[in-house]
Amino acid sequence: MTDPGYLLILIHLIGACIWVGGHLVLALRILPAALRARDVAAIRAFEGAFETIGLPAFGAQVVTGLWLALRLQPDWMQWADLSDPLSRAIALKLGCLGASLMLAVHARLVLIPQLDARSLPALGWHIRAITLVAVIFVIAGASIRVGGLAP
């Protein structure tokens, strides 16, 4: 328990629970009801409540994830070696990070400022995409425990 790696993993997992869990609630419970009712207020309310805990959790995941990756594979140039199962998992997680950041910027700058009943379906696809990326993040992370992603 005194190993700093244990604390890093713990923080990383708690962040993942918050991030992925929040997106699953949004995609599977709030979004379908909002789409049926064409109710942007439900999405805005969730976003306002979730952002205060979700974004710090995501930030913690990024910091601890990079730190853990460096502990597992200290030569970050090796992260691009897709012949290695561990490096494949790290590369997939980095790809998910890139996709998450692009989706977040697009949502914040394009979709959310002009959100109304007409644009709600477009945001719905965006929510589904970020949720799928979050789940892939979890799968890639879990694979690291067993040695990475097999070919």
Side-chain angles (χ1 to χ4, degrees):
M1 187 104 100
T2 59
D3 175 19
Y6 176 80
L7 183 59
L8 289 174
I9 290 170
L10 187 62
I11 293 168
H12 194 73
L13 290 175
I14 290 169
C17 289
I18 293 167
W19 183 254
V20 178
H23 281 91
L24 286 169
V25 168
L26 176 59
L28 300 176
R29 298 292 299 172
I30 295 169
L31 178 63
L35 287 171
R36 275 192 303 278
R38 312 228 3 115
D39 178 17
V40 298
I43 300 294
R44 287 194 190 278
F46 179 85
E47 176 203 357
F50 181 66
E51 207 168 69
T52 59
I53 191 171
L55 291 179
F58 186 71
Q61 282 183 277
V62 171
V63 170
T64 58
L66 291 171
W67 198 341
L68 287 164
L70 282 167
R71 286 175 58 100
L72 290 169
Q73 181 57 270
D75 180 3
W76 61 271
M77 293 298 289
Q78 290 298 316
W79 295 357
D81 177 10
L82 300 182
S83 67
D84 175 54
L86 178 60
S87 294
R88 259 195 307 278
I90 293 170
L92 179 57
K93 288 191 72 136
L94 290 171
C96 288
L97 174 59
S100 295
L101 293 174
M102 287 189 297
L103 287 165
V105 167
H106 182 255
R108 175 62 47 212
L109 299 179
V110 177
L111 296 175
I112 292 172
Q114 59 185 348
L115 185 60
D116 60 18
R118 249 187 11 255
S119 63
L120 187 56
L123 182 63
W125 286 108
H126 182 278
I127 290 168
R128 291 178 188 108
I130 193 69
T131 303
L132 177 61
V133 168
V135 170
I136 293 169
F137 247 134
V138 170
I139 293 167
S143 77
I144 289 174
R145 181 71 177 108
V146 295
L149 293 172

